[in-house]
Amino acid sequence: MAGLDSRRKMSERLAAGLMVGLGVVWPTMASSEWVPLGEPGQGGRLTSIAVSPHDSSRVLVGGDMLGVAVSTDGGSSWGPSFGFSAWEITSFSWHPVDPDVVWVGTMSGPYLSTDGGVNWTSQRSGLPNPSSSRYTSPIEQVLFDPQDMDRLLAVGGSKRQWNAKGDPDFGGVWQSSDGGDSWSRLSTLTATGSSSSASVSGINILSATYAGGDSDRLYATVLNQGVYRSDNGGADWFKFNAGLPHTDVEKVVAHPTDPDIAYV
């Protein structure tokens, strides 16, 4: 035991010396703590949160019952948003250049704000018609093509894995070439890959992202199926799970500049 303790202490000293040599400063426990910001007012479960990349004081919070709450002072105070006819919010997507433009997915399709998240309009032209009894077109996320800001993709799903009635159009990948004014089906993600058929049954897309500024390569996570990849802008997809311990994968994040690196 004495020898083990000695080796452990030596390892700790070596590690500490290495960290000092690398210029690493470890934070103390007292230097980091969480501060409560109050109830935003989005209702029920908090489903998403996003800080504007253009203004770090502007924060949006999505909920599963009352839509989006807005803060313009870094979360010290919160205000409501307007325009939703469906309030089950999924993921936000800020415009890469325009600070006023932000998209959010809902269980009833994509919504657009042109004033930084206060007022919203439904943008589902070309998607399945709405129904008073069920969700027809749940959208988890809207993606901006990194090479063309007017080309958008909207992916059909809900990271909450909502147990929706009827037959919601999970798995659909929708494309817009006019900034979201109209949409057309690009493909549908299935248990085996993807299909161009409009009648095929798709699977819930939990997250999606472009890869490192490449407008051709995308990654997506699909419920119980792991990671999918597209190399032609979302038209065709294939499973991309080699090396993963299982396929219960919920979130994929891409390296900002290297299209060959992604994290799940």
Side-chain angles (χ1 to χ4, degrees):
M1 289 298 294
L4 179 61
D5 289 341
S6 177
R7 288 194 296 272
R8 182 183 297 115
K9 291 177 181 177
M10 177 62 73
S11 297
E12 291 171 352
R13 286 197 293 271
L14 288 172
L18 176 60
M19 294 301 100
V20 171
L22 292 175
V24 175
V25 178
W26 295 109
T28 64
M29 290 298 291
S31 68
S32 301
E33 64 180 23
W34 294 94
V35 178
L37 296 178
E39 166 59 53
Q42 90 291 344
R45 181 181 296 186
L46 190 154
T47 58
S48 55
I49 184 168
V51 178
S52 168
H54 313 287
D55 177 5
S56 59
S57 296
R58 182 171 290 270
V59 185
L60 304 180
V61 169
D64 68 348
M65 292 196 303
L66 296 177
V68 174
V70 183
S71 175
T72 58
D73 55 13
S76 295
S77 62
W78 299 92
S81 60
F82 308 92
F84 288 108
S85 57
W87 295 270
E88 304 88 353
I89 305 302
T90 54
S91 296
F92 297 101
S93 300
W94 289 90
H95 193 286
V97 178
D98 191 333
D100 294 326
V101 173
V102 57
W103 286 83
V104 71
T106 77
M107 286 296 291
S108 295
Y111 276 76
L112 169 66
S113 173
T114 58
D115 60 4
V118 177
N119 292 283
W120 298 86
T121 57
S122 175
Q123 299 286 113
R124 55 177 297 159
S125 175
L127 274 69
N129 291 327
S131 168
S132 61
S133 61
R134 64 186 183 91
Y135 298 109
T136 59
S137 187
I139 295 296
E140 171 58 37
Q141 198 169 3
V142 175
L143 304 175
F144 289 92
D145 186 319
Q147 305 299 326
D148 182 358
M149 298 298 101
D150 287 329
R151 181 177 183 265
L152 307 175
L153 295 184
V155 297
S158 168
K159 63 177 175 288
R160 276 200 61 196
Q161 303 178 30
W162 195 294
N163 187 18
K165 295 187 300 181
D167 187 22
D169 197 0
F170 286 133
V173 179
W174 303 88
Q175 176 180 245
S176 174
S177 58
D178 54 14
D181 288 339
S182 61
W183 300 89
S184 61
R185 185 185 295 272
L186 185 60
S187 61
T188 300
L189 272 59
T190 70
T192 58
S194 65
S195 172
S196 59
S197 171
S199 60
V200 71
S201 179
I203 299 179
N204 191 352
I205 302 174
L206 304 178
S207 70
T209 182
Y210 276 97
D214 188 337
S215 62
D216 291 324
R217 183 176 298 179
L218 296 104
Y219 298 104
T221 55
V222 181
L223 181 63
N224 298 326
Q225 301 295 320
V227 182
Y228 285 39
R229 181 173 130 184
S230 173
D231 289 329
N232 60 358
D236 300 290
W237 299 77
F238 58 93
K239 289 189 176 183
F240 193 63
N241 292 325
L244 293 178
H246 54 73
T247 57
D248 184 15
V249 181
E250 293 193 4
K251 182 71 174 178
V252 59
V253 178
H255 189 284
T257 57
D258 190 335
D260 291 328
I261 298 177
Y263 304 88
V264 296

